Amino acid sequence: MKRIGVLTGGGDCPGLNAVLRAIYRTASARGYELLGIEDGFAGLIDLDRRRPYGNRMMSEEMVRGILPRGGTILGSSNSDDPFHYVAPGSDREEDVSDRVVDNARRLGLDALICIGGDGTMTIAHGLAGKGLRVVGVPKTIDNDLLATDYTFGFDTALHTAVDALDKLHTTAESHDRVMLLEVMGRHAGWIALHAGIAGDADVILIPEIPYSAAAVLAKIERRRAQGRYFSIIAVAEGAVPIGGCESYIEQARPGRAGRLGGAAERVAAALRALEPTLDCRVTVLGHLQRGGSPSPKDRLLGTRFGVAAVELVERGQFDHMVCLRTPHIRSVPIAEAIARRNVVDPQGELCAAARAVGICLGSPDEL
Ligand code: F6P
């Protein structure tokens, strides 16, 4: 019997379990056994790792009932890149990718399915270059992976963000306040833009359009002049002021990316500096966007991706990632998916639609 390994890497997102269930059921029906690797690549770097289970053969009992569950039953890690590994207690990066390839062979893996975002896909592609037979499945709430219309997890995060905007509306209106909601998305503004449009924000600030606080204030004042004394601002965590840079609460260090944070608070401070009478409140949605039960759309996409990933293994189409080309599930070389980041086009249809319905995107020409 042939053996496939599967791991979930990077930050978790809703829909991972839907993919795992689909992979297990498809693989076992086609005569493969499936080994679940614990905590992303960490489970291949150290075969003795047990947190709490270690790598284990997957079974129907493991996947039964997990479709609506958030998180990942395998665990995940966004700090165990084998090409830039920092061992516990060390502060130096080392390349342990050969060890990962050896360990995959020791585990008898004929193929490895890696479910993750751009970081995981970059690692998977690197391991493919060392002879490992990998297949990728794109996930991330940020939707910043190229070569797929959407990643699963994005839709659920969007629901959470829109729900938060709906709730902020009622309290903002009661108190004549400026409510700022900071959403995730890293260096891409997809969550802020989609949620802002769907959640009726007055201003949306995304990394792709550096903002002018004066333009934001002008929008708030135009609304006040029309008798609308509250305003809602959706701020992507990667939003940048003109001439400034992203706001970090933790700088990058060996083996770990920097942590974005503080973008909305910075906008509020800039607005207060321009107009001290403004009553601004900031809500940071944070990891709520990554948790909870996946939306039906994410369950469906995750299931379709899982089935397609096993089919790629069957066809021997390695170093490829499954993707959505609406309405079809297709595949692309992983290299294509990681060539650059998928970001919002400031001149694109979505930004034009936002502007058309009166949303301010913070650029100085909106003063
Ligand atoms: O990439 C997903 C994501 O949730 C980003 O939107 C966010 O910047 C980051 O991960 C947060 O990572 P962590 O879980 O390490 O705080």
Side-chain angles (χ1 to χ4, degrees):
M1 184 184 268
K2 287 199 161 186
R3 179 178 291 179
I4 303 174
V6 62
L7 61 82
T8 51
D12 70 343
C13 78
L16 286 167
N17 286 329
V19 185
L20 292 173
R21 171 179 172 273
I23 290 175
Y24 173 75
R25 290 200 173 154
T26 311
S28 60
R30 297 182 190 194
Y32 293 95
E33 52 182 19
L34 187 67
L35 182 71
I37 307 294
E38 192 173 49
D39 292 341
F41 291 100
L44 284 177
I45 292 171
D46 176 8
L47 295 186
D48 295 326
R49 182 187 171 97
R50 302 235 177 308
R51 282 200 190 158
Y53 306 108
N55 303 331
R56 54 198 166 137
M57 295 308 299
M58 292 186 63
S59 62
E60 179 57 30
E61 285 62 46
M62 277 175 75
V63 301
R64 189 175 294 141
I66 65 172
L67 183 61
R69 267 175 59 191
T72 159
I73 57 166
L74 293 181
S76 192
S77 162
N78 54 9
S79 59
D80 290 288
D81 176 348
F83 292 93
H84 304 277
Y85 181 61
V86 180
S90 162
D91 57 2
R92 286 223 329 273
E93 287 185 0
E94 56 180 318
D95 182 348
V96 296
S97 54
D98 288 336
R99 193 201 302 171
V100 165
V101 175
D102 282 352
N103 283 344
R105 292 207 175 107
R106 281 174 62 194
L107 291 171
L109 301 185
D110 296 292
L112 176 67
I113 299 177
C114 300
I115 311 170
D118 59 347
T120 302
M121 290 308 129
T122 303
I123 296 166
H125 181 57
L127 294 173
K130 291 180 171 260
L132 210 62
R133 293 196 285 243
V134 300
V135 158
V137 177
K139 70 91 234 208
T140 165
I141 64 163
D142 304 334
N143 202 41
D144 58 353
L145 255 170
L146 216 56
T148 183
D149 293 351
Y150 289 102
T151 52
F152 67 88
F154 175 64
D155 185 63
T156 309
L158 204 57
H159 274 77
T160 304
V162 171
D163 182 47
L165 287 169
D166 287 348
K167 287 177 171 151
L168 288 175
H169 259 92
T170 54
T171 172
E173 192 163 10
S174 305
H175 290 272
D176 296 342
R177 277 178 173 155
V178 176
M179 289 290 192
L180 299 98
L181 178 71
E182 181 173 307
V183 296
M184 283 185 164
R186 285 203 305 175
H187 315 293
W190 295 111
I191 299 179
L193 186 58
H194 280 243
I197 295 173
D200 196 11
D202 305 297
V203 179
I204 303 173
L205 303 179
I206 58 174
E208 296 84 348
I209 304 178
Y211 66 84
S212 142
V216 177
L217 180 63
K219 169 69 182 176
I220 295 169
E221 286 181 338
R222 281 198 297 277
R223 283 176 54 77
R224 289 165 87 99
Q226 294 158 356
R228 312 283 284 161
Y229 293 102
F230 73 95
S231 288
I232 304 288
I233 307 182
V235 185
E237 62 180 354
V240 287
I242 292 169
C245 49
E246 290 172 328
S247 172
Y248 281 91
I249 42 176
E250 214 177 289
Q251 294 303 318
R253 57 188 156 91
R256 266 198 187 276
R259 281 181 63 206
L260 288 162
E265 199 55 71
R266 180 168 61 175
V267 176
L271 291 174
R272 285 188 201 109
L274 290 172
E275 178 48 74
T277 63
L278 280 186
D279 197 8
C280 299
R281 293 289 188 278
V282 171
T283 302
V284 179
L285 205 45
H287 292 79
L288 287 175
Q289 293 157 100
R290 292 237 304 258
S293 183
S295 67
K297 203 168 161 183
D298 281 338
R299 294 181 199 187
L300 185 61
L301 187 57
T303 299
R304 294 171 74 198
F305 276 170
V307 173
V310 176
E311 287 171 352
L312 283 190
V313 172
E314 264 193 319
R315 291 205 298 271
Q317 212 173 329
F318 298 114
D319 202 10
H320 274 61
M321 180 187 91
V322 298
C323 63
L324 174 68
R325 301 280 203 205
T326 310
H328 305 289
I329 300 295
R330 304 260 193 248
S331 70
V332 285
I334 295 181
E336 219 174 278
I338 56 175
R340 62 182 169 80
R341 194 175 287 137
N342 174 27
V343 292
V344 174
D345 174 4
Q347 309 309 328
E349 180 269 332
L350 209 53
C351 288
R355 289 192 178 101
V357 295
I359 297 171
C360 165
L361 298 182
S363 54
D365 55 6
E366 295 174 71
L367 256 172

